[in-house]
Amino acid sequence: MPLALMVQPLALPHPMEEPVQVVDFGESGPVRCVKCKGYINPFMKFIDQGRHFKCNFCGHTNDTPRDYHCNLGPDNRRRDADSRPELCRGTVEFVATKEFMVRPPMMPIFFFLVDVSMNAVATGATAAACSAVQRALGELNHIPRARVGIATFDNTLHFYSFNQAQQPTMLVVPDIHDVYAPLQSGLTVPILEFWEPLEQLLENIPSMFQGTIIADSALGAAMKGAALAIKSNGGKLIIFQSGFPSVGFAALTARDPDSRKGPPPGEKDLSKLLQPVDKTLKTLAIELAELQVSCDLFLTTQEYVDVASLAVVPATTGGQMYYYYPFSATSDSAKLYNDLRWNLTRPQGLEAVMRVRCSQGLQVQEYVGNFHRGTPTDVDLPAIDCDKSIMVTFKHDEKLQDNSESCFQCALLYTTMDGQRRIRVTTLSLTCTTVLNNVFRGADLDAQFTYFLKRAAQEAPTTPLAQLRDKMTNSCVNILFTYRKFCATASSAGQLILPEALKLLPLYTLALTKSIGLRSDVRTDDRCYWLARVMTISASLAIPTVYPRMFSIHDLSQKEVGEGNLPQSLHLSSENLENEGVFLLETGEDAFIYAGKGVSSETLFHLFGVQSVNEVQTNQFILQEFDNDESRKLNILINEIRKERCSYLRFRWCRRGDPLEFLFFSLLVEDKNALGLSYVEYLVHVHRQIQNKMT
């Protein structure tokens, strides 16, 4: 069984939880172990009437600072432990002192880059991006120091400088190979002072480039130029890209297998397509990370854009990639705006450094996620937000004692959006045991499966897919075999015995082997986006990514739907699809709607305002709310899912005979199909593998 932590340092608290408390130790800073630098936490033991404390990581005995001393009670705890958050809570936030700052806390700068090449303008992507930015900027008014910059690009770069008259001047950078910023300052402006001219510029950009015949897109040059414009401070680059980045610095060469005639690529060629075409963008990404510039990429495209090469930039700079393929200005503009709005307004931090410590007997082995490794012990995060998760794996370097405690501590030093330097510290303590049954009883299915998922995403670019699917199955078999051999010896050999906490592990492993990342029949860009997405995915979203939720929505009038109250979901099998029914299947990012052949026109009219499925335009479908109980409940259900997933959901109507219908049925992972065995057959296969190991 893997030993790994899923760390989500800025995770949103549960609605029933209290907010994380801020502790200020003044100029002396938070109390720490002088040997290993671990932060004070509830598991450090105070001894000698509180005059010393023993570190729960390295075992060193420290002197308690005089102004922090407190006597111990009869239970050997400090008498003030329950009134001090750092001594009674798993997560606290310390105010950082000057020793944690190499420069004053950075200002939040948001620099928007918009593709204005022919394809972007013609498909409505440019207008959708400008509209989304214009609406989302209104959400940044609560950040008093926020500054904004805007640039557009095709086969040249266009920066916009705001003079004292507040009218923007376009500054063109024609050299897209040796890129420069046209001004040292003035390319970003305070949002509160320049709100109107910013709004006016965003309104004008689509018409300024209307009818353009420039098809080329210099994305690499645009990223480098924008980074140079904010290099003295750092900040967030938010890029809207539609075309293939074909010219200028870091231009890509087309290697699209999906549009090529001839046989599909072999395993060797496929693995090349899942890796960046060269190291130019990786080198640029490292430069950006060192300048504290993070990069979020919104791909509003209708063509192959080589996601494998582009993904290294958000992956190295602590950013995120958003992918809208095939982009439809009609149906995707609302999701584009909501994704951007959440990106800007969610709890987040800048110029962050993270380190995980663990107690003696264990050692940090590897970090997995979107970050830059400047030093062997720390991960550098130009940006970090509440949705980002980092996996940390550990190895044993000496024997652990039975009933002793193993402790883990994640410390995140970051700058808040209002310019304060903070240290978010989360500490976890787990009891060691020599009884294997206890290990299985306390297993965390979500964390174990998230480990499987991220491992698969890590290995997919270099491992043949069939081999990787077998490897995932074998990982599941090995865990269940260990349980069968050491914890369920009394059971008959003919029975498949599953540990209670991991009884769904075979189901989710089967779903993983049929997922977009591990299937052999998907577009290269779709696979690469999936692989990039799961590298930062949180434990709560890992399972829905491969095992979505399905609801029947034709009978909502008979169900209770409300805040925090969702109807019962259905098993992912075509046996649950009624001929007269309508079904919603959601992955946390996409929502598919499928209507059976015999669905009544009345049901369709109540839910979607149409009499027949033929009236629905699949690529322009928008969910609306109508004045009836079914429609209201459907919208409440969708909004509850959006809230839970922190995602707006992209709606896809699955018409019979359409490629989306095939995709919908391929997500019913409990069925036997071209992708693999049914769930029952897979359990038989797993059982047989376990029996073979037993003999």
Side-chain angles (χ1 to χ4, degrees):
M1 280 167 81
L3 178 57
L5 285 181
M6 302 304 148
V7 181
Q8 204 175 337
L10 299 181
L12 293 174
H14 187 275
M16 304 301 287
E17 278 184 308
E18 290 179 31
V20 173
Q21 298 208 13
V22 178
V23 179
D24 188 354
F25 277 91
E27 286 183 17
S28 59
V31 175
R32 302 174 75 179
C33 170
V34 295
K35 187 178 176 188
C36 73
K37 300 297 182 188
Y39 290 87
I40 190 77
N41 63 77
F43 309 105
M44 285 190 171
K45 288 199 167 50
F46 284 85
I47 54 176
D48 194 16
Q49 277 308 306
R51 286 190 287 272
H52 301 96
F53 65 92
K54 195 172 181 182
C55 176
N56 53 329
F57 300 108
C58 66
H60 181 71
T61 300
N62 296 265
D63 294 334
T64 306
R66 190 175 296 174
D67 57 356
Y68 195 62
H69 177 264
C70 178
N71 288 330
L72 307 184
D75 56 357
N76 276 332
R77 288 179 75 229
R78 282 173 57 124
R79 292 184 183 276
D80 64 352
D82 290 331
S83 62
R84 285 191 174 270
E86 74 275 15
L87 298 180
C88 66
R89 291 173 184 266
T91 301
V92 289
E93 195 153 277
F94 297 118
V95 175
T97 53
K98 287 200 173 84
E99 69 177 287
F100 291 98
M101 302 183 204
V102 291
R103 63 171 186 171
M106 67 185 270
M107 282 188 294
I109 289 183
F110 302 91
F111 204 103
F112 297 93
L113 281 167
V114 181
D115 184 350
V116 291
S117 60
M118 183 171 75
N119 222 7
V121 174
T123 58
T126 299
C130 290
S131 168
V133 173
Q134 185 185 341
R135 291 172 65 195
L137 281 183
E139 305 281 348
L140 295 179
N141 288 339
H142 68 286
I143 307 174
R145 306 185 314 142
R147 294 178 72 89
V148 171
I150 296 171
T152 51
F153 64 97
D154 42 32
N155 64 358
T156 56
L157 313 186
H158 327 111
F159 289 90
Y160 298 90
S161 165
F162 294 84
N163 57 28
Q164 290 308 308
Q166 297 196 337
Q167 287 308 310
T169 306
M170 183 195 281
L171 305 169
V172 178
V173 177
D175 190 342
I176 52 174
H177 295 278
D178 188 10
V179 191
Y180 58 89
L183 294 174
Q184 291 302 308
S185 61
L187 295 176
T188 65
V189 291
I191 186 170
L192 293 173
E193 290 174 41
F194 286 80
W195 167 246
E196 284 182 16
L198 284 166
E199 191 178 38
Q200 195 62 52
L201 174 62
L202 289 161
E203 262 177 43
N204 292 343
I205 285 172
S207 53
M208 283 159 58
F209 294 94
Q210 193 65 44
T212 179
I213 55 168
I214 299 169
D216 293 325
S217 166
L219 172 64
M223 283 196 273
K224 188 163 190 178
L228 291 171
I230 59 173
K231 71 174 187 179
S232 60
N233 179 83
K236 280 174 71 108
L237 287 189
I238 295 159
I239 303 168
F240 299 88
Q241 167 74 14
S242 295
F244 184 78
S246 52
V247 293
F249 170 77
L252 301 176
T253 47
R255 48 179 188 156
D256 175 16
D258 304 313
S259 60
R260 250 188 250 149
K261 292 185 170 63
E267 289 286 6
K268 198 171 179 184
D269 294 331
L270 183 61
S271 76
K272 280 185 188 167
L273 293 168
L274 300 182
Q275 298 173 46
V277 69
D278 61 29
K279 293 186 177 167
T280 315
L281 280 172
K282 177 68 176 178
T283 307
L284 172 65
I286 291 170
E287 287 172 20
L288 296 186
E290 288 171 350
L291 292 170
Q292 299 297 352
V293 173
S294 79
C295 186
D296 294 318
L297 203 48
F298 290 77
L299 298 174
T300 51
T301 182
Q302 295 182 352
E303 59 181 310
Y304 171 81
V305 289
D306 197 353
V307 169
S309 294
L310 298 181
V312 298
V313 183
T316 308
T317 61
Q320 185 171 344
M321 183 181 283
Y322 300 82
Y323 184 57
Y324 311 82
Y325 174 88
F327 179 74
S328 158
T330 308
S331 56
D332 290 332
S333 292
K335 178 164 170 55
L336 181 68
Y337 160 64
N338 279 280
D339 286 347
L340 176 63
R341 177 173 167 267
W342 180 242
N343 179 299
L344 298 177
T345 59
R346 63 188 168 186
Q348 57 193 292
L350 304 167
E351 51 179 351
V353 181
M354 188 185 101
R355 181 184 295 188
V356 170
R357 294 178 173 85
C358 54
S359 46
Q360 290 169 314
L362 297 171
Q363 193 179 327
V364 173
Q365 186 174 17
E366 186 185 13
Y367 292 93
V368 178
N370 283 8
F371 51 76
H372 170 53
R373 288 296 288 276
T375 63
T377 51
D378 299 339
V379 297
D380 297 332
L381 297 144
I384 175 88
D385 58 70
C386 62
D387 296 325
K388 296 274 188 332
S389 157
I390 292 173
M391 179 168 85
V392 190
T393 62
F394 300 86
K395 60 182 179 185
H396 294 81
D397 56 8
E398 57 187 73
K399 195 172 179 183
L400 303 175
Q401 298 301 311
D402 193 22
N403 283 327
S404 66
E405 294 281 312
S406 269
C407 291
F408 306 88
Q409 186 175 77
C410 169
L412 179 81
L413 171 66
Y414 73 102
T415 300
T416 64
M417 279 305 193
D418 53 3
Q420 297 179 47
R421 207 74 176 128
R422 297 273 181 84
I423 308 157
R424 174 75 62 101
V425 176
T426 302
T427 312
L428 175 71
S429 183
L430 300 172
T431 306
C432 302
T433 180
T434 52
V435 181
L436 207 53
N437 249 324
N438 293 343
V439 176
F440 280 100
R441 199 173 293 125
D444 183 327
L445 175 63
D446 286 39
Q448 290 231 14
F449 180 72
T450 309
Y451 172 88
F452 273 32
L453 187 64
K454 290 178 191 274
R455 269 280 171 263
Q458 264 188 307
E459 295 180 24
T462 54
T463 310
L465 291 175
Q467 199 177 310
L468 188 54
R469 289 192 291 267
D470 288 344
K471 191 172 180 179
M472 292 297 111
T473 296
N474 290 339
S475 298
C476 174
V477 166
N478 288 338
I479 290 174
L480 301 178
F481 161 68
T482 308
Y483 180 76
R484 181 75 184 77
K485 185 176 179 183
F486 297 107
C487 305
T489 45
S491 310
S492 99
Q495 275 183 291
L496 174 61
I497 308 294
L498 302 174
E500 184 62 30
L502 298 177
K503 65 184 178 187
L504 292 177
L505 187 61
L507 175 60
Y508 297 147
T509 307
L510 170 65
L512 174 57
T513 64
K514 293 182 175 184
S515 66
I516 287 169
L518 273 62
R519 283 161 52 175
S520 50
D521 63 342
V522 296
R523 293 176 66 255
T524 309
D525 269 358
D526 292 352
R527 187 192 314 283
C528 292
Y529 170 67
W530 187 94
L531 296 174
R533 180 171 174 252
V534 301
M535 289 300 275
T536 63
I537 205 161
S538 64
S540 59
L541 282 176
I543 290 170
T545 299
V546 300
Y547 191 88
R549 278 189 307 198
M550 183 164 73
F551 302 98
S552 61
I553 56 173
H554 55 278
D555 51 0
L556 283 177
S557 57
Q558 301 153 33
K559 296 177 180 175
E560 284 293 317
V561 184
E563 195 168 331
N565 183 25
L566 300 182
Q568 183 69 37
S569 58
L570 304 170
H571 291 297
L572 295 183
S573 167
S574 52
E575 289 177 8
N576 287 320
L577 299 180
E578 299 165 31
N579 202 22
E580 300 81 31
V582 185
F583 301 88
L584 168 76
L585 185 145
E586 64 89 15
T587 66
E589 187 163 69
D590 290 306
F592 299 91
I593 290 179
Y594 178 80
K597 287 179 187 171
V599 63
S600 71
S601 55
E602 184 185 9
T603 300
L604 289 172
F605 187 72
H606 280 167
L607 290 171
F608 310 114
V610 295
Q611 300 281 0
S612 153
V613 289
N614 297 327
E615 292 177 38
V616 179
Q617 289 182 285
T618 50
N619 61 341
Q620 298 190 347
F621 174 66
I622 299 171
L623 183 72
Q624 299 175 52
E625 185 169 331
F626 301 101
D627 188 17
N628 62 70
D629 191 43
E630 291 94 328
S631 177
R632 272 190 291 274
K633 283 189 172 178
L634 175 57
N635 278 272
I636 290 169
L637 170 62
I638 297 299
N639 287 330
E640 282 300 306
I641 295 170
R642 284 171 172 158
K643 220 187 303 178
E644 185 185 339
R645 305 295 196 210
C646 289
S647 172
Y648 188 72
L649 299 183
R650 188 181 190 207
F651 276 91
R652 324 285 287 275
W653 184 279
C654 306
R655 194 197 295 275
R656 279 187 291 286
D658 203 65
L660 281 176
E661 184 193 31
F662 172 73
L663 178 57
F664 175 83
F665 277 97
S666 73
L667 292 170
L668 303 181
V669 295
E670 295 186 34
D671 287 345
K672 182 175 184 171
N673 53 27
L675 303 173
L677 304 173
S678 71
Y679 181 36
V680 172
E681 290 169 332
Y682 188 74
L683 285 175
V684 170
H685 172 69
V686 166
H687 188 205
R688 196 173 295 128
Q689 299 275 78
I690 293 169
Q691 284 177 314
N692 291 344
K693 281 176 165 288
M694 294 290 287
T695 52

